[in-house]
Amino acid sequence: MFWGLIIEPGKKYSQTVDSSFHISKATLDLSSANDEDITLLLDYEGQQEYILCHLNKSNKQECLDLNFQAGDSISLFSHGQASIHLSGYLLGDDDDDEMTLGDMMEEEEEDDDEEEDEDVDEEMDIKDLRASLVAKAVKRAQPEKSNGKAQKKAKVEIEQEDDDDEDEAEEEEEPKQPSPKQLSKAQKKKEKKALKQQQSPKPAGAAPAQQPQVKKEGAPPAADKKTKAEAPKSPAKQTLPGGLVVEDLKVGSGPESKKGDMVAVYYCGKLAKNGKQFDQTNKGPGFKFKLGQGRVIKGWDLGVAGMKVGGKRKLTIPASLAYGAGGAPPQIPPHSTLVFDVELKALN
């Protein structure tokens, strides 16, 4: 949720923090600025004063990365004759259990270990399969060796049959009205061929040789089905009531978020009309908030619901579900449609 404060000249803003917040940027109000430098200072827990930044007309904006937790005692003030606008966002509840960066890293290490175990199992299965195939090949080779003479004899007979086939082909090319003597010779050859086929043993290993061809011919249809099944789906895009447009850029593989969950997200916010970025969080544990409790703009409560951990989603939020007619000056003008790229990092 957006946080902002205007530091006016000569005023000191002191408080004990109730809700944790983050300061992202300091911007000089040019309408009240002159040529002198304006200095932004912080008094933290009653210690010495810290200089946060120097601003002037040539350097009118500075990015900050400051987190303040509930219970911190702070004072913000400036030296100079111009106002300074501070902007940032609330960090969410401090009382809820939150997942730290260390927790997320441990989960990733556990996932890596599981993937390594699966790879080891697959390698063992492949080795077992290879050993089985080698054993079958050795078993098949033994009878072939013992029956070498039978195979050699069968090979000679097959060559003789091929010669007979060639003779028959030559006879068929002769005139269609052969003499009785030629017909008798052809009949004798056919009878001789039939007798040899009955008496000759079948070559060992002939039948198994055809089996791989049958399997190979049946492989392409299965591959086609697999290719069709693995075709990537187009990103899901839908418009929810109120004009909120939700587009899933990547569907996560983790748990699905629901109302009441404490979620941690990375995000980048831009104005829809010109693409100007006004806020982002892309490091550390991320921005955390309780989903569906009204602690962020309504477009976030509706748009983040249903995301799975690891997923990425683009939210186009109309002004009515964001900051409305008032906006959030100076970063967000009135009646602004906002675009957020959101990545769900973790949830409790």
Side-chain angles (χ1 to χ4, degrees), residues 74-188:
I74 63 172
S75 296
L76 293 165
F77 56 99
S78 65
H79 286 167
Q81 299 303 317
S83 298
I84 298 176
H85 291 249
L86 302 180
S87 59
Y89 52 86
L90 297 179
L91 294 175
D93 288 348
D94 300 294
D95 297 332
D96 296 314
D97 294 333
E98 298 178 351
M99 179 173 285
T100 64
L101 180 59
D103 295 334
M104 289 192 288
M105 292 176 66
E106 288 179 2
E107 286 189 357
E108 291 177 357
E109 290 176 357
E110 290 175 0
D111 294 338
D112 292 340
D113 293 339
E114 292 177 359
E115 291 177 0
E116 290 178 0
D117 293 340
E118 291 176 358
D119 293 340
V120 171
D121 293 339
E122 290 178 0
E123 290 178 1
M124 293 179 66
D125 292 340
I126 292 172
K127 289 180 180 179
D128 293 340
L129 179 60
R130 286 178 179 173
S132 176
L133 292 175
V134 170
K136 289 182 179 178
V138 172
K139 188 176 181 181
R140 254 186 215 168
Q142 291 175 352
E144 290 178 0
K145 186 175 180 180
S146 62
N147 298 330
K149 293 181 179 180
Q151 290 180 350
K152 186 175 181 181
K153 184 178 180 181
K155 184 177 181 181
V156 172
E157 291 177 354
I158 291 172
E159 290 178 354
Q160 292 177 352
E161 291 175 3
D162 292 340
D163 294 339
D164 293 340
D165 292 340
E166 290 177 0
D167 293 340
E168 289 179 5
E170 291 176 358
E171 291 174 2
E172 290 176 358
E173 292 176 359
E174 294 179 358
K176 293 184 178 179
Q177 297 179 354
S179 65
K181 185 177 180 180
Q182 290 175 329
L183 289 174
S184 176
K185 184 178 180 180
Q187 289 174 353
K188 287 181 179 180

Side-chain angles (χ1 to χ4, degrees), residues 233-237 246-252 307 310-315 340-343:
K233 297 182 180 178
S234 58
K237 186 176 182 180
V246 176
E247 182 177 358
D248 281 313
L249 305 178
K250 174 186 175 184
V251 178
M307 288 185 69
K312 296 181 180 180
R313 183 172 285 184
K314 182 178 182 179
L315 306 178
F340 288 92
D341 290 323
V342 182
E343 178 182 0

Side-chain angles (χ1 to χ4, degrees), residues 1-7 15 17 19-25 66 68 74 76 85-91 279 323 328-331:
M1 181 178 292
F2 179 79
W3 176 93
L5 177 65
I6 299 175
I7 307 293
Q15 66 166 321
V17 178
S19 299
S20 302
F21 66 94
H22 174 88
I23 299 179
S24 305
K25 194 173 294 183
L66 302 173
F68 296 102
I74 63 172
L76 293 165
H85 291 249
L86 302 180
S87 59
Y89 52 86
L90 297 179
L91 294 175
D279 196 9
Y323 294 101
Q331 301 292 332

Side-chain angles (χ1 to χ4, degrees), residues 328-339:
Q331 301 292 332
I332 303 175
H335 302 287
S336 292
T337 297
L338 308 180
V339 178

